[in-house]
Amino acid sequence: FGPRSLEEAADIVAGFGFKVMDLGVCSNENAQVDPRRAAEDPVESAEYVLRVLEPWEFQLNECFVLDFGEPINHPDPMIRRSTRRLFPGLVKFAQRVGCRSIMLIPGTLHPDLGREQSFALAAQELAELSRVASDEGIFLNIEACEPSVAQGPEDAGRLCEEVPGLGLTLDYSHFIDQGYSQLEIETLHRYARHFHIRQAAPGKRVETVAKGTIDFERVVRLLREEEYGGVLSVEYVECPPTTECGVDVITETPKMKAQLESLVELDSQS
């Protein structure tokens, strides 16, 4: 609900019956909090968020950040240095609002650098950011997405293996859209600390609950078997790409929530 104010978004989320919420802290239309402002003035920014959200008593879980407006593996060392300078303040902000993790995107493929050098630069920068977050008791997660250095399951897993302390905010839709199977995506469960949940289909990153091809009954069963202890966060984002897919966020969010609750309850009884 990034196009709306934090208060408006919170009211919608509460109306759907959610008690736990991720906080949009990114420099695009998906957020209510600017990441640079949060990083440069974490105390005041956190106080603002807590003051606005106080009536609903949400438990905040993850800061949905992406980046500070430029890829974390930008070829320009000055831009990368700016990210490293800002990140400790963002960690402090996350602490003060009560989030347990920060989510970034893993960096882009730069044609001038090539795939492997782009990947290595992302791993280098994420290792430093992960260390900063870990030192303060905050998890650093990436969302493997396309286009990025971790747009396939193999590269996403490799990045988590190479960066100490790094985890995933795992979203099946980014892989299903590209044509990967659920079996291929399941190899990433071992790295997942957080999940984004919405339906998708091959060639369509966002789909309605009724038409999507992801078998969430299987996902829930596997997570139960694997003793996953994190959150399943319903993520139908109110933005142009979602609208272009013919998906109405206000309609599909409660449907996805109801389906998940039914599956979790059914699985707990089996």
Side-chain angles (χ1 to χ4, degrees):
F1 304 103
R4 305 171 191 261
S5 71
L6 181 59
E7 186 173 22
E8 290 173 319
D11 195 48
I12 293 170
V13 172
F16 289 149
F18 290 101
K19 302 296 183 183
V20 179
M21 185 172 75
D22 292 342
L23 188 64
V25 190
C26 48
S27 53
N28 63 18
E29 71 276 5
N30 292 340
Q32 287 83 28
V33 181
D34 180 79
R36 285 184 173 271
R37 182 173 180 182
E40 291 171 347
D41 195 348
V43 175
E44 183 177 324
S45 297
E47 287 177 353
Y48 160 74
V49 168
L50 294 174
R51 184 170 62 252
V52 170
L53 296 181
E54 184 178 10
W56 294 280
E57 299 183 337
F58 286 115
Q59 176 189 336
L60 296 179
N61 193 267
E62 180 161 86
C63 283
F64 183 113
V65 178
L66 303 184
D67 52 37
F68 291 105
E70 296 284 358
I72 62 164
N73 67 338
H74 197 284
D76 186 339
M78 293 295 291
I79 293 176
R80 299 199 305 274
R81 192 174 299 122
S82 175
T83 294
R84 292 195 298 269
R85 177 184 63 81
L86 289 166
F87 191 71
L90 186 65
V91 171
K92 185 174 183 179
F93 168 81
Q95 286 178 313
R96 294 186 75 91
V97 297
C99 284
R100 70 188 292 268
S101 59
I102 291 171
M103 187 205 83
L104 301 178
I105 47 177
T108 62
L109 291 170
H110 302 289
D112 292 344
L113 297 180
R115 176 176 293 275
E116 282 306 309
Q117 195 172 346
S118 295
F119 183 95
L121 198 54
Q124 170 190 301
E125 297 303 307
L126 285 167
E128 174 61 20
L129 302 183
S130 178
R131 182 193 63 77
V132 171
S134 179
D135 285 350
E136 300 299 329
I138 298 292
F139 291 119
L140 179 61
N141 299 333
I142 57 164
E143 181 175 46
C145 58
E146 81 282 7
S148 79
V149 297
Q151 66 185 46
E154 184 176 350
D155 282 335
R158 182 161 66 106
L159 194 55
C160 288
E161 289 289 340
E162 291 191 13
V163 177
L166 188 67
L168 288 182
T169 293
L170 185 54
D171 186 339
Y172 271 57
S173 71
H174 287 281
F175 299 112
I176 294 295
D177 172 34
Q178 298 179 74
Y180 289 102
S181 70
Q182 287 202 202
L183 288 176
E184 291 173 292
I185 303 167
E186 287 164 9
T187 63
L188 297 175
H189 281 201
R190 72 189 74 174
Y191 309 110
R193 294 198 186 108
H194 197 75
F195 275 79
H196 285 167
I197 302 293
R198 67 181 175 216
Q199 271 295 359
K204 199 168 184 182
R205 192 186 302 179
V206 187
E207 184 54 280
T208 64
V209 173
K211 295 181 180 179
T213 63
I214 301 173
D215 182 356
F216 280 117
E217 182 175 359
R218 177 179 172 84
V219 173
V220 169
R221 177 171 56 79
L222 287 175
L223 294 182
R224 177 81 67 181
E225 292 172 358
E226 295 159 0
E227 299 183 341
Y228 171 70
V231 164
L232 303 177
S233 180
V234 177
E235 193 215 23
Y236 274 102
V237 181
E238 190 176 39
C239 62
T242 303
T243 304
E244 290 164 9
C245 284
V247 175
D248 177 57
V249 175
I250 299 296
T251 300
E252 297 305 317
T253 298
K255 287 182 179 179
M256 190 77 260
K257 177 177 182 288
Q259 184 183 94
L260 277 178
E261 289 173 336
S262 175
L263 291 174
V264 169
E265 181 180 358
L266 178 66
D267 188 72
S268 67
Q269 294 173 353
S270 62

